[in-house]
Amino acid sequence: MFLFKTTPGVQHHIQSIRNPDIPIGFIPTMGALHEGHESLIRHSIESGYYTVVSIYVNPTQFNDAEDLKKYPRPISKDLSYLYKMGCHVVFFPDDREIYSKNNPVVPDIDLRNLNKTLEAAFRPGHFEGVLQVVNRLLDIVRPNILIMGKKDLQQLTIIRHMIEELNLSVQLEGLPISRESDGLARSSRNERLSDENRKKAVVIYKALHATATNFNKSPLSDLKAKALKLMDHLPFQTEYFEFVRNDTMEIIHDKKEYSGPTTAVTAVWCNDVRLIDNMEMPEI
Ligand code: AMP
């Protein structure tokens, strides 16, 4: 496994191994790796891609300084995890490598509703930061395949939109959510839950699952009310629970408005830990 901390270092290496028969698969992460990340990295390795993982906690996508400060950074553990997985290249830049004088700008694209609702409404500036860093990392690594998780569905949709708008020559693969055995979506933030709250957090999965089970039987407003009733018990507080179109992530309030592929998306606070999850609903 090769480890690079500088942009010229990683660029030079990737240039030297570039081969039309072996696609370069790239998985951007913020580290504190867990089995959710592992599912993306394994997919890349098993697909025969030359696998590049970046570890960079991007300050511009944090709208809360405290959250940035508390973000876990277990770099030695991450590196040995990646080594054991068989990852080919790790890019571990510092802020100067990403945010030097001339770059990077936030790509000037119209995100429409994607940058107004859900995560964007509650985390102002978050997606500008995500676009900025992903665009910069893509420019450095120039992968053939970009691999991201559906755990961050709005992020995935926004990046897909950016690739289309900027006409970038990279293929985006969105992979399913990896879950703990009780159903909780794997996340670096789960580690910040107390043992008791970690056990209780399964309620998020249960609410999404119950919504999917009853999706064809009830109106959206009833499904939403039931989900909120299940989840909203202190210290859990739901920030949003909505139904969205799979393609555009526009919020749907009524099945009469739209009856195509739909996903339920939610964000829930547990004390100072914010958890997000989503689940695709069965076809009507
Ligand atoms: P992060 O390190 O949180 O920025 O995540 C890096 C990538 O891993 C993103 O594309 C996430 O969507 C993805 N990811 C994080 N958790 C999961 C999970 N539980 N299942 C699938 N993908 C995940």
Side-chain angles (χ1 to χ4, degrees), residues 108-128:
D108 184 20
I109 52 177
D110 181 9
L111 292 172
R112 290 177 240 129
N113 70 301
L114 278 171
N115 204 22
K116 295 196 182 89
T117 57
L118 308 166
E119 290 300 288
F122 292 99
R123 303 185 69 189
H126 170 65
F127 287 122
E128 282 83 355

Side-chain angles (χ1 to χ4, degrees), residues 100-212:
S100 63
K101 293 188 279 318
N102 304 324
N103 54 55
V105 288
V106 178
D108 184 20
I109 52 177
D110 181 9
L111 292 172
R112 290 177 240 129
N113 70 301
L114 278 171
N115 204 22
K116 295 196 182 89
T117 57
L118 308 166
E119 290 300 288
F122 292 99
R123 303 185 69 189
H126 170 65
F127 287 122
E128 282 83 355
V130 169
L131 285 175
Q132 192 179 24
V133 76
V134 174
N135 194 35
R136 170 81 174 128
L137 288 168
L138 286 176
D139 192 43
I140 295 170
V141 176
R142 307 214 167 219
N144 304 94
I145 322 275
L146 172 65
I147 301 164
M148 301 185 92
K150 288 188 181 171
K151 160 87 176 10
D152 300 276
L153 191 64
Q154 196 170 2
Q155 167 176 282
L156 183 72
T157 311
I158 283 184
I159 296 297
R160 178 168 292 121
H161 185 69
M162 176 183 83
I163 291 172
E164 281 164 10
E165 288 284 304
L166 301 181
N167 209 5
L168 302 180
S169 67
V170 63
Q171 192 184 315
L172 178 62
E173 294 188 4
L175 298 195
I177 301 177
S178 159
R179 297 182 178 279
E180 304 278 355
S181 54
D182 63 356
L184 180 68
R186 295 185 203 276
S187 163
S188 313
R189 291 193 164 90
N190 294 351
E191 281 180 29
R192 284 173 46 207
L193 298 170
S194 67
D195 289 349
E196 193 190 344
N197 288 336
R198 164 62 195 84
K199 279 190 205 128
K200 286 185 185 165
V202 67
V203 74
I204 303 170
Y205 172 73
K206 284 191 174 156
L208 286 166
H209 193 263
T211 306

